[in-house]
Amino acid sequence: MRKVVFVLVFVFMQSLPAYSGPGAVRCGKLLDVRTGQMLSDQTVVFDASGTIISVGPTSATKRPSGVMAIDLSNSTCLPGLIDVHTHLTGDPANHGYSRLGISVPREAIIGAKNARLTLRAGFTTVRNLGAHGYTDVAIRDGIDAGDIEGPRMRVSGPPLGITGGHCDNNLLPSEFHYKSDGVADGPWAARAKVRETVKYGADLIKICASGGVLSKGDQPDTPQYTLEEMQAIAEEAHKLGRKVAAHAHGTQSIKDAIRAGIDSIEHSSLIDDEGIALAKQHGTYLVFDIYNDDFILQEGAKAGMLPESIEKEKKVGRLQRENFRHAFQAGAKMAFGTDAGVYPHGDNAKQFGKMVEWGMKPLDAIQAATVNAADLLGWADRIGVLETGHFADLIAVSGDPASDVRALESVKFVLKGGTVARNDYASK
Ligand code: ARG
């Protein structure tokens, strides 16, 4: 058997822009996230466009000559992770009233910082669910143009919601006449807002179906958008080729959103058996941000969250975790989403440990953040697995994430579309 001789190219994280494909990565172990099989000594080869052209045993791989070769023979490789619920332009430093002092341009800068942190933590794709002034569209486009570093992004632009709801901002008294960009009441106003949001570059639509924790003056278990409004939104968005993600904590709102044809339920905190059954019947993804509760209860008050938010969190946090376990055991479709931005970006992977603590096996949690998330994003043909024809989005860790999922909290190597974004092994 001919052993491929690997030349190590030391790509230091400081020396960006990093080298990009064509190239090859040799993995000591490689987790097939579809089957859970842990394969030994595999080589992933990718072309100049950053697309995988082969994956297989190193001994059987013909590596094109003169291309970058990265030796990860002491580590475990898996596909780049996907977080389907982030707020890259939000920071835990700006909760509550201090958020009002952040301008739209400043928010864009914050987003650029967090995009890099997120990518370096191993998340090569995110779905960003809500930002002011289309800052998310600008960040997505800046990343795609190579101006700044960050994950692939699917973005929603401003989230749609009712006057005074979770997607409005209710901190100022009436003489300021403030309302958030996405406020739209009634089916036709909501349809018009979908059109406007798509016009300015959104890949999908985010709405607030129920009240929330971090908003002022509403309750997580109270419905906001009506069934009729959500039907109009879902129909309009789908007609324009866009999916819809609904923030919904409340039992009724979750069911209304699913019945209206919404594609994913964010938070899903107070879902009941009927809601779980409906989600299964409609193929709706449930996204439970179950790490959040720890941060809000431990750090929220210091971070400037309103006292009422801490009280609301105490009511939903534990129930959300119990319902996560319940929905998983009942076989509902789940995707990994964290709501990062509420807590620090780059800590996204801390949720994996919670998912295992609350009933999943490590592989289930990893599938939620790879194959399932890719399916929800409509990108199953390009991300979520290490297979020919998919982007060379690959991460590596030193431990074995299939037995200890917390290994994903210490990602050592990140490749996005054949470009090295992080390589801690090389800098030793
Ligand atoms: N953005 C969400 C809200 O304000 C955060 C909810 C966090 N709590 C939780 N248990 N996941 O409603």
Side-chain angles (χ1 to χ4, degrees):
M1 233 190 292
R2 193 179 66 87
K3 270 257 171 262
V4 176
V5 182
F6 272 80
V7 186
L8 262 184
V9 175
F10 291 98
V11 185
F12 288 88
M13 52 191 188
Q14 293 87 356
S15 61
L16 289 160
Y19 185 89
S20 59
V25 180
R26 179 181 184 175
C27 301
K29 295 219 155 27
L30 186 147
L31 180 64
D32 178 337
V33 297
R34 280 195 210 276
T35 63
Q37 240 194 314
M38 190 62 90
L39 307 165
S40 293
D41 202 358
Q42 301 283 304
T43 290
V44 179
V45 184
F46 50 92
D47 66 14
S49 73
T51 304
I52 297 175
I53 50 178
S54 73
V55 184
T58 298
S59 56
T61 303
K62 251 189 95 184
R63 186 171 58 86
S65 58
V67 303
M68 167 179 72
I70 299 160
D71 184 11
L72 303 176
S73 48
N74 292 321
S75 357
T76 303
C77 298
L78 61 158
L81 302 170
I82 304 164
D83 188 335
V84 305
H85 190 140
T86 64
H87 296 278
L88 292 185
T89 63
D91 241 4
N94 309 318
H95 279 304
Y97 277 89
S98 69
R99 170 70 193 79
L100 294 175
I102 306 293
S103 67
V104 165
R106 184 72 183 94
E107 191 175 316
I109 305 287
I110 291 169
K113 174 195 69 170
N114 291 329
R116 180 169 187 272
L117 284 174
T118 303
L119 177 62
R120 288 178 52 76
F123 288 81
T124 49
T125 304
V126 301
R127 189 176 68 150
N128 205 70
L129 295 185
H132 296 94
Y134 295 95
T135 44
D136 51 353
V137 169
I139 291 163
R140 176 198 66 194
D141 293 348
I143 291 169
D144 287 349
D147 298 340
I148 55 171
E149 266 187 281
R152 301 178 196 290
M153 290 179 76
R154 292 289 237 180
V155 307
S156 72
L160 277 58
I162 66 164
T163 297
H166 180 68
C167 284
D168 197 356
N169 186 326
N170 312 320
L171 294 170
L172 294 168
S174 73
E175 62 267 34
F176 286 89
H177 304 290
Y178 181 81
K179 71 172 177 187
S180 294
D181 307 341
V183 170
D185 295 298
W188 276 106
R191 274 185 195 267
K193 191 57 87 173
V194 169
R195 294 170 185 173
E196 179 185 322
T197 308
V198 170
K199 170 178 173 176
Y200 294 116
D203 302 304
L204 78 148
I205 301 298
K206 160 84 182 287
I207 69 166
C208 283
S210 80
V213 170
L214 300 178
S215 39
K216 182 175 173 227
D218 64 353
Q219 290 298 329
D221 59 357
T222 306
Q224 294 192 346
Y225 266 139
T226 62
L227 175 65
E228 192 189 4
E229 286 168 317
M230 290 195 274
Q231 280 166 336
I233 290 168
E235 190 186 289
E236 192 65 35
H238 291 160
K239 186 189 77 187
L240 298 175
R242 304 301 197 278
K243 292 193 183 189
V244 186
H247 157 109
H249 289 287
T251 314
Q252 187 60 45
S253 299
I254 292 169
K255 292 190 265 200
D256 287 347
I258 297 171
R259 288 196 174 101
I262 300 301
D263 303 278
S264 69
I265 305 298
E266 309 300 311
H267 310 298
S268 314
S269 311
L270 306 175
I271 194 166
D272 64 3
D273 287 339
E274 191 189 11
I276 293 170
L278 277 171
K280 287 178 65 178
Q281 186 190 327
H282 288 251
T284 316
Y285 271 100
L286 302 179
V287 179
F288 286 84
D289 55 327
I290 59 168
Y291 172 71
N292 242 338
D293 182 61
D294 280 17
F295 181 85
I296 296 174
L297 295 183
Q298 285 159 28
E299 310 288 332
K302 277 176 271 168
M305 289 177 189
L306 305 174
E308 70 167 77
S309 294
I310 311 294
E311 289 313 306
K312 290 191 269 184
E313 183 58 36
K314 286 182 188 158
K315 289 192 197 146
V316 299
R318 183 164 179 103
L319 287 173
Q320 186 191 32
R321 291 174 176 183
E322 287 168 3
N323 290 332
F324 163 81
R325 183 168 54 199
H326 194 140
F328 170 66
Q329 286 169 353
K333 290 208 280 185
M334 292 196 175
F336 179 98
T338 63
D339 210 3
V342 170
Y343 69 86
H345 294 278
D347 282 357
N348 314 56
K350 287 189 174 175
Q351 188 173 283
F352 286 112
K354 286 282 162 211
M355 292 164 91
V356 169
E357 195 183 311
W358 287 88
M360 281 187 166
K361 288 191 288 300
L363 181 66
D364 303 315
I366 293 169
Q367 285 176 335
T370 52
V371 268
N372 295 8
D375 180 43
L376 173 57
L377 266 58
W379 276 354
D381 57 341
R382 44 184 111 164
I383 58 172
V385 288
L386 293 172
E387 289 172 8
T388 303
H390 285 66
F391 286 125
D393 290 357
L394 176 155
I395 63 168
V397 295
S398 292
D400 172 7
S403 58
D404 176 14
V405 83
R406 298 196 58 182
L408 296 175
E409 291 177 26
S410 320
V411 168
K412 299 277 198 299
F413 175 86
V414 180
L415 185 78
K416 181 195 150 202
T419 299
V420 177
R422 174 175 199 151
N423 190 355
D424 292 4
Y425 299 114
S427 54
K428 286 221 186 82

